[in-house]
Amino acid sequence: MRRLKKIILFSVIGLVLIIFAILGVEAIFKRQTQDLIYRDISTLPKSETVIILGASVHADGKLSPILKDRVDTAIKLFENNKVKNFLVSGDHRTDDYNEIAAMTGYLEDRGIDKDLIISDPAGLDTYDSMYRAGNIYNIKDAIVVTQEFHLPRTLFIAENLDLNYKGFPADQRAYQTEYRLKQREKLANLKALWEVFIHKKPHSLQAGIFPTSN
C-alpha cells in the first residue's frame, strides 16, 4: 500500500511538472513574439511577401474555414498594398491531396495574377514552412497569416531561424475545432522548441520538390 501511494504521488508530481512545462513554454513563445504580431492593418509595416500556411482541404478541393480565412486575409493585405506577392506553403505529398492547388486556385479565382504566387508543396508543418521560406525561397522579410493561437509558435520558429517575419491574425470566425486545436498547439510548442534546439532540417531541401512518403 505504501509503495502504491508513492507511485501515485510521484505520478501526480510528474503530471504537474509536465503541465507547468507546457504552460511555461507557451508563455515564453507569447512573450517573445508579442511585438511581432499586428492586429490593426493600418499599423502593419509593408513587406514584399505574405506567407500563407496550409491547412486542411476538403475532398472536393474546397478550403476548410481555417484555410479560407488565411487566404482571404492574405488577399486583404495585398489589396491594402501591404504586400506584393504570395508564398503558399502546404502539403502536396500525394496526387489526391493538394493544399497548394487549392490555395493557388482560390487566389487566382479572386483576381490574383499567378505570376505573383510562389508555391511550396513541401511545407509539411510549421517548422518546414518557415525554414523553407527563408532558406529555400530566400524570403527574409515577410508577413505570415494564420490564426492567432498559431502565430506565437510560427514567429518563434521564424525568429530563431533569423527571419524578419511579422504576423497578422486570420481569425474571422469561431471554429468548431478551435478548442481542440488550441490544446494541440500547446503540445506543438514543445515540438517547435525541440526543432529549434536541434536545428532540424526539413523533409525536403529543394524548391518545388515533393517529399516522398515514409
Side-chain angles (χ1 to χ4, degrees), residues 2 18 21 62 79 100 120 123-124 128 159 181 198 209:
R2 184 175 297 175
I18 290 172
K62 291 184 179 179
E79 291 175 342
I100 299 303
D120 177 13
L124 305 187
D128 281 18
E159 189 172 42
L181 290 171
I198 65 172
I209 295 296

Side-chain angles (χ1 to χ4, degrees), residues 31-95:
R31 183 169 63 251
Q32 185 169 326
T33 62
Q34 60 185 352
D35 294 335
L36 301 173
I37 299 174
Y38 293 79
R39 297 171 183 83
D40 183 349
I41 195 170
S42 66
T43 63
L44 178 67
K46 292 182 179 180
S47 289
E48 187 75 15
T49 303
V50 58
I51 299 174
I52 309 172
L53 299 180
S56 59
V57 172
H58 297 309
D60 60 2
K62 291 184 179 179
L63 309 184
S64 62
I66 282 179
L67 185 53
K68 181 178 182 298
D69 285 353
R70 293 179 186 181
V71 182
D72 283 340
T73 300
I75 294 173
K76 180 181 178 181
L77 297 185
F78 179 78
E79 291 175 342
N80 281 270
N81 298 315
K82 293 296 181 177
V83 297
K84 297 180 180 179
N85 55 51
F86 301 75
L87 170 66
V88 294
S89 181
D91 186 350
H92 182 192
R93 276 176 287 187
T94 62
D95 291 336

